[in-house]
Amino acid sequence: MSDSASQPLQGMSDIGPPEIALWQHIESTARSIFPLYGVSELRTPILERTKVFSRTIGNETDIVQKEMYSFNDRGGRNLTMRPEGTAGVVRYLSSLGQEAGDARVYYIGPMFRAERPQAGRKRQFHQCGVEMIGAANPVADAECIALQLQLLRAWGLSDCRLKVNTRGEADEAAQVAESLREALQAKRDELCEDCRRRFDTNILRVLDCKNEECSSIVDGLPPLTEFMRSDSRKYFDDVVERLDQLGIEYEVAPRLVRGLDYYMHTVWEISHSALGAQDSLSGGGRYSIAVGKKRMEGVGFAMGLERVIMAMQACGAADRIAAHALRLWLVSMGGVALDRNFILCQKLRQAGIACGMDLGERSMKAQMRAANRAGADFVLIRGDNEIERGVVVLKEMASGEQRELEESKVADELE
Ligand code: HAM
């Protein structure tokens, strides 16, 4: 099917009516909430140098190892379609120097990962994300989580589950990894093949491996916080205390580490029961990212909009979002009626009324069918008879009621 000329590539979708109304609603709701937190939009390119992602996300991560769409351009530069938003935002903000200060930005747009497609997992998907730049501070982490939950509630998704954990301070990452390696050493050979590789390259990821054998081994380990310094534990305690202050419910998930290497301190995921296997609506955390000689710290999150839509559809929140429909459809019986309706249609649009009409001279039945397809609230019917008497017929589709009126009264009637 994916080879057919009329189909998009596997794992990628065309998004059109009626579903597009839901996308537009989600985006406009988000755009009305971000300013409440002083967050402004940033649009970075979809295509970047590959090293923007590999250095930021980490060479040993699944994304960089096997999921990026990368290619050499004609100049021999290795480029990648962005698999996530944080790397590009941080690249841009680092170019601002001091001005990046405590920048707060959001982005909404397509991301690309060469994953095996399934429900809720696409190769082109869309993220709505936020990055708040600034030195580590538990208040910022809690604020970022609060913003995200406000957004989810505004989309009608209040029934979400928040899991939080900490990865500790960036400068103790090597020490934490080493302690974990020691704790796991005796069980190394019982781990799955991927985790045996991760043992040396990215040991934290062993903690959230889905393989049953690995998770039962990991269950026997002490929580990650035991390998951390007390100031890191204190940082995390402060974050959860702030969440308590805001009345936000959460679950501390000691195995949650997230799949990108740039994280430090707080990490979190938000899921929704309606989503099943791919239940992660959103992931975020605090990060420290080196760009050239600089280091950018910040906290942020990204939500997968396909999954947000699936959750909204599953819990009924999507039903309340009306598709864009026309207010009026003009039906013309005969050429003179078509001429007059054509002029009226344009006048009504200029008065801000959404309307449409059949541009050919099709049968009444075909034109009424078109009105139905367009979801018009009203139909205006005009034929020779109405023209002679200087009126038009206005029919309300829902009730079937219809009456005659002068053309000049139509706009008032529809407001
Ligand atoms: P991530 O967990 O890789 O984090 O992705 C965030 C969200 O994007 C996921 O929770 C999921 O909803 C959605 N998502 C990821 N992959 C797919 C896919 N193949 N199909 C559909 N949806 C998908 C990040 O991307 C980080 N940049 C988040 C972040 C921002 N952390 C700090 N700032």
Side-chain angles (χ1 to χ4, degrees), residues 11 57 63 67 83-87 107 111-132 144 258-260 262-263 268-270 275 278-287 298-308:
I57 299 168
I63 297 179
E67 294 169 3
E84 58 101 59
T86 315
Y107 46 89
M111 308 289 161
F112 302 83
R113 295 187 194 175
E115 297 193 74
R116 199 149 50 82
Q118 61 185 75
R121 193 193 287 157
K122 314 272 299 176
R123 290 181 173 164
Q124 176 176 334
F125 58 100
H126 297 76
Q127 282 186 346
C128 171
V130 165
E131 311 298 344
M132 296 179 172
C144 200
R258 309 255 313 121
L260 300 98
Y262 49 59
Y263 290 117
W268 69 87
E269 266 179 22
I270 297 182
L275 286 187
Q278 298 297 325
D279 71 349
S280 172
L281 271 185
S282 166
R286 173 157 287 285
Y287 47 82
V299 60
F301 64 82
M303 325 220 215
L305 294 184
E306 280 75 6
R307 296 188 191 174
V308 165

Side-chain angles (χ1 to χ4, degrees), residues 326-333 341 344 348 354-358 363-382 392-405 410 413-414:
L326 293 178
R327 187 80 174 128
L328 178 72
W329 191 263
L330 295 91
V331 171
S332 323
M333 302 311 299
N341 279 351
L344 174 62
L348 292 173
C355 48
M357 63 181 283
D358 214 277
S363 70
M364 173 89 168
K365 207 167 152 195
Q367 294 190 50
M368 289 304 283
R369 260 205 309 270
N372 263 319
R373 264 202 308 277
D377 299 327
F378 289 87
V379 170
L380 179 147
I381 304 161
R382 172 149 48 189
V392 295
V393 174
L394 193 64
K395 176 175 176 178
E396 189 179 12
M397 295 296 262
S399 63
E401 268 171 36
Q402 64 178 59
R403 64 197 182 85
E404 290 185 349
L405 72 171
V410 173
E413 201 59 33
L414 295 177

